[in-house]
Amino acid sequence: GQPRPRPIALRMMERHLIGSQAFVPLQNRPYLVVVAPCQDSVTPDDLNVFLAQGKQGVNYHRGVWHHPLLVLEPDSDFLIIDRGASDMDLEEHWFAEDQTTFEIA
């Protein structure tokens, strides 16, 4: 993974309704985890941002809204496990341009 330009604007979220996804860092580098409750839709007010340490992995339960991987340092490698997922198991929600989204400095 490569870091995004800062401030990081969170404009979309995604979820997988068939399977879970796990992300396990392979280096001891912190990264950001952005999640929202498992519900029909998601708004910027639903978002929660966490700083994960480089020795912590995350496993998104099926249906949980989450942002794609947000690394803080270049060339951050992860082991990614998609349990039961396929190319068809992806739902994205893009926020309207007039909605306020988090910006992470």
Side-chain angles (χ1 to χ4, degrees):
Q2 299 300 322
R4 297 171 192 255
R6 291 193 187 175
I8 301 169
L10 303 179
R11 305 231 189 278
M12 65 82 69
M13 295 290 280
E14 67 180 39
R15 68 178 177 172
H16 310 278
L17 295 173
I18 297 172
S20 65
Q21 274 191 325
F23 294 83
V24 181
L26 299 177
Q27 296 133 329
N28 189 11
R29 297 178 180 167
Y31 61 102
L32 298 175
V33 174
V34 182
V35 292
C38 182
Q39 53 196 22
D40 289 338
S41 64
V42 62
T43 70
D45 290 337
D46 297 323
L47 304 184
N48 293 287
V49 180
F50 300 93
L51 176 63
Q53 298 306 312
K55 293 184 179 183
Q56 294 175 300
V58 296
N59 185 29
Y60 299 122
H61 190 273
R62 63 187 168 101
V64 171
W65 290 103
H66 61 279
H67 194 277
L69 193 59
L70 290 171
V71 302
L72 300 173
E73 297 181 30
D75 302 319
S76 294
D77 294 326
F78 285 74
L79 170 67
I80 301 170
I81 302 166
D82 284 326
R83 183 178 167 105
S86 70
D87 291 341
M88 302 300 291
D89 184 30
L90 173 64
E91 180 180 351
E92 293 180 342
H93 177 83
W94 290 84
F95 300 120
E97 292 211 17
D98 62 343
Q99 286 183 307
T100 302
T101 58
F102 282 112
E103 287 196 1
I104 302 168

